[in-house]
Amino acid sequence: MKFQRKSLGSLVLVLVLLLLAACGGGGQEEGSTSSGEEGSANKITIFQSKVEISDQLEALAKEYTEETGVEVEVLGTTGDDYFQQLQIRLNSNQGPSIFSLQHAMEAEKLKSYVADLSAEEYVKDIAPNMELKLEDKVVGIPYGVEGFGIIYNKDLVKPEDVQDLASFRSTLEEFKAQGINGFGLAQDAYFLIGHISNYPFSLQPDPADFISKLNAGEVAMAQTPEFQEFGQFMEAIKVNTPTPLSVTYDQQIGDFASGKTAMIHQGNWAAGMLQEFDLGFEYGMLPFPLMGNDKLAVGTGNNWAVNSQKEEGEIQAAKDFLNWMHTSEAGKRYIVEEFKFVPALTTIEPGELDPLSQAVSEASNSGDTIPWAQNAYPANIVPNDLTPFAQQFFSEDMTGEQFVEEFDNAWQNAQ
């Protein structure tokens, strides 16, 4: 009920704001020029979902205004339902000049509102396969890149210890005999199954096409080699490590930091918490070796998009702002030092990075990565359908083969 009240309050507040804007705006869209000129705009608006960079973005906007004279207003969110709020704004002709999108599925839903950014000069500098594309057009500029894989204690694990299923399994068996947890997951939905389930999808020739066929019942995981081996990996984890069902994210990180766990499955975001510990060892990130995979899973959580329904002058002003943010010294500094992103453009120096972010940055810039296929999963399938079946797997007598069969069932139940 608490969530329902919050969501209702957010919706009411959004509607009130829209009514106020309509009454005070004289029918003119946000940021549009009063002179009727289409070649320029004196104001743009930005609506984005990462609240942790809101203050820094406002500071960047102020610097841009001081330099160019173009006012940049950063609009705040009123709750956790960002995408719903964005749709309300766009459908009410109160849409921002610039907004954020998580992935292609959101871009597809708003395809009549996303401008083509393919011709922007800096787009060619986006790390390989990191741009947000729709129908072969670049419609989103990534905030930054993130990656996940196996974070390992370099005193306990060598890369050759986890090169394939056989070496992975034998390494876990050796650690179990020594009283060490060889591989740690956590109970949270994405840390238990969401991220790790990415691998058998991402290793398909066309992950999005495979997911479409899976949704239509045209293919089955149980009949696909990558999923069959994934089940064996999960069985090796279950048999040789403590159950993750009672392990919080904080505990997962703490056990790794203390040396109780040799490897954990996490992303470069874990470095912030690891830096709070006085570690007595060096650590790094390795690929999850499903089918001998030797690449990190790297993707983007958010992308900048431009509202194509604005007047031409405002569209150009929005493009100019994004260009400045990604090419000027001030903009680059904010991306790295203030937003603390791992840059998605190869022309932006990342500065001093932690070991995990360094591994992700190098993989991203080289293009030596596998995609985040989980971005194409059906909405809410990870917490609502995959997590319950994963909890069942770790709490009941279930083999790796049965795990894949239940994975199929959970996926189809979500349709």
Side-chain angles (χ1 to χ4, degrees):
M1 294 301 293
K2 183 177 180 182
F3 173 78
Q4 291 176 343
R5 288 198 298 271
K6 181 177 180 182
S7 298
L8 180 59
S10 298
L11 181 57
V12 170
L13 181 54
V14 170
L15 292 174
V16 169
L17 289 173
L18 293 178
L19 286 172
L20 289 174
C23 291
Q28 186 172 313
E29 287 192 8
E30 288 179 353
S32 61
T33 59
S34 58
S35 64
E37 295 179 1
E38 294 189 351
S40 63
N42 293 323
K43 179 181 178 180
I44 60 172
T45 53
I46 302 175
F47 186 54
Q48 62 92 34
S49 57
K50 286 185 74 68
V51 295
E52 59 267 34
I53 69 165
S54 294
D55 292 343
Q56 296 90 330
L57 185 59
E58 287 184 2
L60 175 63
K62 183 178 179 180
E63 285 197 26
Y64 184 74
T65 298
E66 291 173 351
E67 181 174 323
T68 66
V70 176
E71 181 183 353
V72 180
E73 181 183 4
V74 178
L75 306 172
T77 61
T78 57
D80 297 327
D81 52 346
Y82 167 80
F83 192 67
Q84 180 183 357
Q85 293 179 47
L86 174 61
Q87 289 176 301
I88 291 172
R89 289 177 181 270
L90 293 173
N91 293 334
S92 302
N93 293 323
Q94 297 293 330
S97 318
I98 297 172
F99 53 91
S100 62
L101 295 172
Q102 288 190 330
H103 44 66
M105 293 176 67
E106 289 188 348
E108 177 64 32
K109 289 181 180 179
L110 300 179
K111 61 182 178 181
S112 62
Y113 292 98
V114 291
D116 184 2
L117 304 176
S118 306
E120 298 301 299
E121 181 66 20
Y122 65 92
V123 166
K124 71 179 189 310
D125 300 318
I126 297 175
N129 304 314
M130 291 300 130
E131 69 275 9
L132 179 62
K133 300 185 77 172
L134 192 63
E135 298 174 353
D136 294 326
K137 297 178 181 178
V138 176
V139 298
I141 310 301
Y143 280 32
V145 295
E146 294 180 315
F148 55 80
I150 298 175
I151 300 176
Y152 70 108
N153 181 329
K154 290 188 175 182
D155 285 353
L156 299 176
V157 180
K158 296 179 175 59
E160 55 266 29
D161 295 338
V162 284
Q163 288 189 323
D164 52 26
L165 174 62
S167 58
F168 181 82
R169 181 189 287 122
S170 63
T171 295
L172 295 192
E173 291 171 348
E174 291 173 10
F175 280 125
K176 182 179 180 180
Q178 298 171 25
I180 297 174
N181 180 10
F183 189 84
L185 296 171
Q187 63 186 3
D188 311 75
Y190 275 89
F191 298 161
L192 179 67
I193 189 65
H195 290 152
I196 199 168
S197 67
N198 173 77
Y199 300 112
F201 291 99
S202 65
L203 294 179
Q204 301 303 315
D206 186 338
D209 180 64
F210 181 86
I211 289 175
S212 295
K213 291 178 178 178
L214 186 63
N215 292 340
E218 298 173 6
V219 295
M221 300 180 197
Q223 299 173 1
T224 306
E226 290 80 6
F227 286 90
Q228 293 169 348
E229 185 170 289
F230 180 59
Q232 296 179 61
F233 268 93
M234 294 302 289
E235 182 174 336
I237 294 169
K238 176 182 177 180
V239 171
N240 295 292
T241 68
T243 176
L245 298 184
S246 60
V247 178
T248 65
Y249 173 52
D250 287 359
Q251 184 181 344
Q252 181 196 31
I253 300 297
D255 286 349
F256 178 76
S258 66
K260 294 180 182 178
T261 303
M263 299 179 286
I264 59 175
H265 192 268
Q266 271 298 344
N268 62 297
W269 51 80
M273 188 176 292
L274 286 172
Q275 290 171 348
E276 297 176 5
F277 292 88
D278 184 16
L279 299 179
F281 59 87
E282 293 183 354
Y283 61 93
M285 185 183 291
L286 291 170
F288 190 82
L290 179 68
M291 307 294 285
N293 170 57
D294 59 358
K295 300 176 181 179
L296 296 180
V298 178
T300 61
N302 280 280
N303 303 270
W304 302 108
V306 171
N307 189 344
S308 63
Q309 296 301 309
K310 292 294 186 178
E311 293 182 0
E312 189 60 37
E314 188 173 345
I315 293 174
Q316 187 57 52
K319 291 180 177 180
D320 290 344
F321 175 80
L322 291 180
N323 177 73
W324 181 86
M325 183 167 68
H326 291 93
T327 61
S328 72
E329 291 306 313
K332 291 178 180 180
R333 180 179 67 80
Y334 267 86
I335 289 173
V336 175
E337 298 179 14
E338 302 299 330
F339 300 165
K340 299 189 183 303
F341 293 157
V342 179
L345 271 68
T346 59
T347 48
I348 300 178
E349 290 295 328
E352 186 175 349
L353 296 175
D354 62 82
L356 305 182
S357 296
Q358 183 64 40
V360 170
S361 178
E362 291 175 357
S364 174
N365 288 344
S366 69
D368 197 24
T369 64
I370 55 174
W372 279 10
Q374 78 268 12
N375 282 348
Y377 286 9
N380 300 318
I381 192 173
V382 173
N384 293 349
D385 302 279
L386 302 191
T387 299
F389 114 78
Q391 291 170 336
Q392 181 184 7
F393 170 72
F394 281 109
S395 61
E396 298 181 5
D397 184 16
M398 188 184 300
T399 66
E401 183 177 358
Q402 291 170 326
F403 170 88
V404 180
E405 293 173 354
E406 289 302 318
F407 198 165
D408 263 324
N409 292 335
W411 192 282
Q412 294 307 321
N413 287 338
Q415 301 307 309

